[in-house]
Amino acid sequence: MFKTIPDNFIIGAASSAWQTEGWKGKKEGQDSYLDTWYKNERHVWHEGYGPGVATNFYERYGEDVAYMKEIGLTHYRTSINWARFFTDYETFEVDEDYAQHIDNVINALIEAGVEPILCLEHYELPTALQEKYDGWSSKKVVELFVGYAEIVFERYADRVKQWFTFNEPIVIQTRVYLDAIRYPHEQNTKKWMQWNHHKVLATAKVVELYHRKNYDGEIGIVLNPEVTYPRSSSQADKKAAEMYDLFYNRVFLDPLVKGAYPEELFLKMAEHDITFDYTQEELDIIRENTVDYLGVNLYFPHRVQAPKYKWNENTPFHPSYYFDSFELPGRRMNKSRGWEIYPQIVYDMGMRLKEEYGNIPWILTENGMGIENEHLFMNEEGVVQDDYRIEYITEHMSCLLDAYEAGSNCRGYMLWAFTDCVSPMNAFKNRYGLVRIDLENNRARSLKKSGFWYKDVISSGRLEVPDVPEYK
């Protein structure tokens, strides 16, 4: 059967600055958090690959934009590298070479008929601000981020009409300060909460700035809420799912869309002595400056159950105090990534945004299939036969179209990623792109089978969906 793609529906792809650009032209003192992590712990990055060269998009963006035009992408989402945009983050001394690069990319996309969507921060916190102010621990960094946004809007908002403040704002502090599994490995749950709050506050302040300046466009944020399912219908399991949702999803969704943190979050923070520092003025700013729209990144479900064992009181508080993870028997898996495949998450999130969050406009800004050793799937002509990616996209896009038909205010689908690119630690281990990056051949580009298929979907305006299999 075929499903029709609505008119003006976004069918695009995404990436980020640090995952593609490389360090060509980067000046002394312009390291981001990711650059510093890579320099200090290169051994944890798969086969030593990292942001140093990445895909060399800084020099080769023209090739990639040409492929975007060939495929027919409606939109391309990437980020501006905050760490590279200035040579001084406090006096806002712009690196004109890098600023010109952003200009060039925007203009090339527009000329190719691809609408740019830009994110102000995709893990690119400047190391200088991390070292001087402890990063997002500081309200000073919030103000510096707003100053950065103001200059970026002045330069590019005439051509870029869709903006995001952050991509997945919860991720860095969760890996570093909550789980302590990434550099610099500091377990500090209260700092985790403080970073969460300051990114919410920074977003509200940038939203206020954007609207006050009357720019012709929209400003939002890209979140990665994990659609959370309880193991069973028991009250204990359902409570576990509610608590996971509170700490990892609602901590951003509620203030950014509804304008206020959940009251239960304040109660739990007080109970565990992890309440972030805030003022009533900050809560007022958050209440008055909710986002225009959301980007939502969805890859896999999260399943939880009630805790099996009593919490070790000598262990610093962690939200897992309230839940244990649960693995569904017989679940479909992307074995390369270790993630469950469950396309229903897209429909369920669409319905949740419709029913609980005022049916806010949203885009599925990331969804994709990372596979290891893709060279094993190449045919005699050297084209990767990634039917597994085509199947994955089809199933998730189909659920997105179902959510749209059911009234969810979804504007489109963006694949992660357009080209193979660097991921934290995994580097190029798992490939996500429509376009292959050949590391053994000077990072040469070539379309995979999915790239040709994506082109057909866009040009035809319809998605072929397999019939529901018969029960056996």
Side-chain angles (χ1 to χ4, degrees):
M1 61 177 289
F2 290 90
K3 292 186 178 181
T4 300
I5 297 171
D7 292 339
N8 300 319
F9 207 64
I10 291 170
I11 303 291
S15 193
S16 76
W18 80 267
Q19 290 173 280
T20 56
E21 283 177 350
W23 291 348
K24 186 72 174 181
K26 185 164 76 74
K27 299 176 176 62
E28 190 72 24
Q30 288 187 318
D31 282 349
S32 68
Y33 160 74
L34 274 303
D35 298 329
T36 300
W37 176 23
Y38 176 64
K39 288 179 178 180
N40 280 274
E41 291 189 340
R42 186 174 175 181
H43 63 279
V44 305
W45 294 70
H46 183 68
E47 296 183 345
Y49 286 102
V53 179
T55 71
N56 196 15
F57 182 82
Y58 190 85
E59 294 184 296
R60 301 177 68 168
Y61 67 88
E63 297 175 58
D64 293 343
V65 172
Y67 275 122
M68 294 179 203
K69 182 177 181 179
E70 179 180 342
I71 292 173
L73 294 192
T74 65
H75 294 68
Y76 177 66
R77 177 176 74 93
T78 188
S79 62
I80 297 173
N81 191 328
W82 182 13
R84 294 191 64 171
F85 193 75
F86 297 112
T87 55
D88 190 306
Y89 307 105
E90 299 193 58
T91 63
F92 303 117
E93 186 70 30
V94 174
D95 182 333
E96 294 297 343
D97 293 333
Y98 184 76
Q100 185 61 53
H101 164 71
I102 299 299
D103 255 319
N104 294 343
V105 170
I106 291 171
N107 293 337
L109 288 167
I110 293 172
E111 185 177 349
V114 181
E115 183 171 342
I117 302 177
L118 290 184
C119 186
L120 295 171
E121 201 257 45
H122 192 127
Y123 311 165
E124 294 119 348
L125 171 70
T127 293
L129 299 183
Q130 175 71 14
E131 293 177 344
K132 184 173 182 178
Y133 295 110
D134 202 20
W136 289 102
S137 300
S138 170
K139 298 185 191 300
K140 176 68 173 178
V141 171
V142 174
E143 297 308 317
L144 293 175
F145 183 75
V146 177
Y148 156 54
E150 183 170 13
I151 294 171
V152 165
F153 294 153
E154 288 172 355
R155 289 181 175 241
Y156 309 121
D158 60 325
R159 287 156 291 158
V160 179
K161 305 301 181 182
Q162 295 189 65
W163 294 90
F164 293 117
T165 53
F166 296 93
N167 175 83
E168 300 182 349
I170 199 171
V171 167
I172 293 297
Q173 61 267 27
T174 298
R175 300 291 182 262
V176 174
Y177 299 120
L178 183 63
D179 300 334
I181 58 174
R182 291 183 181 173
Y183 176 85
H185 311 282
E186 176 189 344
Q187 205 298 315
N188 188 328
T189 305
K190 183 171 182 177
K191 184 182 286 191
W192 174 66
M193 287 303 311
Q194 193 67 57
W195 278 46
N196 290 340
H197 170 63
H198 280 161
K199 290 182 180 182
V200 169
L201 178 62
T203 294
K205 283 177 171 281
V206 171
V207 168
E208 188 280 331
L209 166 71
Y210 190 82
H211 291 159
R212 174 163 44 85
K213 297 282 189 175
N214 291 314
Y215 288 113
D216 178 24
E218 294 179 301
I219 180 82
I221 191 169
V222 176
L223 301 179
N224 57 315
E226 296 182 34
V227 184
T228 309
Y229 302 99
R231 174 188 60 171
S232 75
S233 60
S234 75
Q235 290 302 312
D237 284 346
K238 289 194 288 187
K239 184 62 177 179
E242 289 170 6
M243 295 307 293
Y244 188 95
D245 186 54
L246 177 70
F247 277 104
Y248 290 99
N249 298 336
R250 294 183 64 198
V251 65
F252 281 97
L253 274 170
D254 281 39
L256 291 168
V257 180
K258 296 181 177 180
Y261 290 104
E263 185 59 35
E264 187 176 8
L265 183 64
F266 281 109
L267 295 175
K268 292 301 179 185
M269 288 192 297
E271 180 181 341
H272 298 287
D273 193 26
I274 59 166
T275 305
F276 51 76
D277 296 329
Y278 68 95
T279 66
Q280 185 58 49
E281 180 186 8
E282 291 172 354
L283 297 185
D284 292 342
I285 291 170
I286 291 167
R287 184 184 69 251
E288 295 164 3
N289 297 282
T290 54
V291 295
D292 297 331
Y293 72 130
L294 283 177
V296 180
N297 296 348
L298 296 172
Y299 291 92
F300 56 88
H302 197 90
R303 302 184 188 275
V304 297
Q305 60 187 334
K308 298 178 182 178
Y309 307 106
K310 184 177 180 180
W311 186 258
N312 181 352
E313 297 299 335
N314 295 318
T315 301
F317 172 73
H318 188 286
S320 57
Y321 177 95
Y322 291 104
F323 56 80
D324 285 344
S325 293
F326 171 69
E327 294 184 351
L328 184 71
R331 66 198 184 283
R332 289 173 59 199
M333 292 290 291
N334 174 355
K335 295 180 181 179
S336 291
R337 197 64 183 86
W339 288 348
E340 181 182 345
I341 300 173
Y342 189 67
Q344 182 70 24
I345 58 174
V346 176
Y347 182 86
D348 290 346
M349 177 53 67
M351 292 300 97
R352 183 178 190 186
L353 293 176
K354 176 187 175 184
E355 295 163 7
E356 296 181 33
Y357 292 94
N359 209 13
I360 186 171
W362 68 288
I363 305 169
L364 182 53
T365 38
E366 282 186 32
N367 175 249
M369 182 75 161
I371 291 293
E372 191 173 358
N373 295 320
E374 275 203 327
H375 63 278
L376 299 177
F377 298 93
M378 295 175 70
N379 66 10
E380 293 180 356
E381 288 74 38
V383 178
V384 174
Q385 303 297 295
D386 52 344
D387 295 276
Y388 42 82
R389 180 166 294 110
I390 294 171
E391 179 183 17
Y392 182 97
I393 299 171
T394 297
E395 291 179 345
H396 288 78
M397 193 183 293
S398 176
C399 286
L400 186 68
L401 294 172
D402 289 345
Y404 177 89
E405 288 297 318
S408 183
N409 196 3
C410 180
R411 295 177 174 177
Y413 178 94
M414 304 195 82
L415 178 70
W416 186 269
F418 182 68
T419 66
D420 295 336
C421 59
V422 175
S423 296
M425 294 177 64
N426 280 315
F428 286 102
K429 177 183 178 183
N430 297 313
R431 304 300 189 95
Y432 284 89
L434 299 171
V435 176
R436 171 174 166 78
I437 301 293
D438 188 348
L439 297 177
E440 307 302 321
N441 184 24
N442 193 33
R443 288 170 168 77
R445 275 79 161 145
S446 61
L447 282 180
K448 303 176 188 177
K449 182 178 180 180
S450 60
F452 295 102
W453 171 83
Y454 211 57
K455 177 181 179 179
D456 289 342
V457 170
I458 294 170
S459 62
S460 68
R462 62 180 191 171
L463 180 73
E464 184 175 2
V465 181
D467 293 332
V468 178
E470 296 180 1
Y471 291 110
K472 296 180 179 179

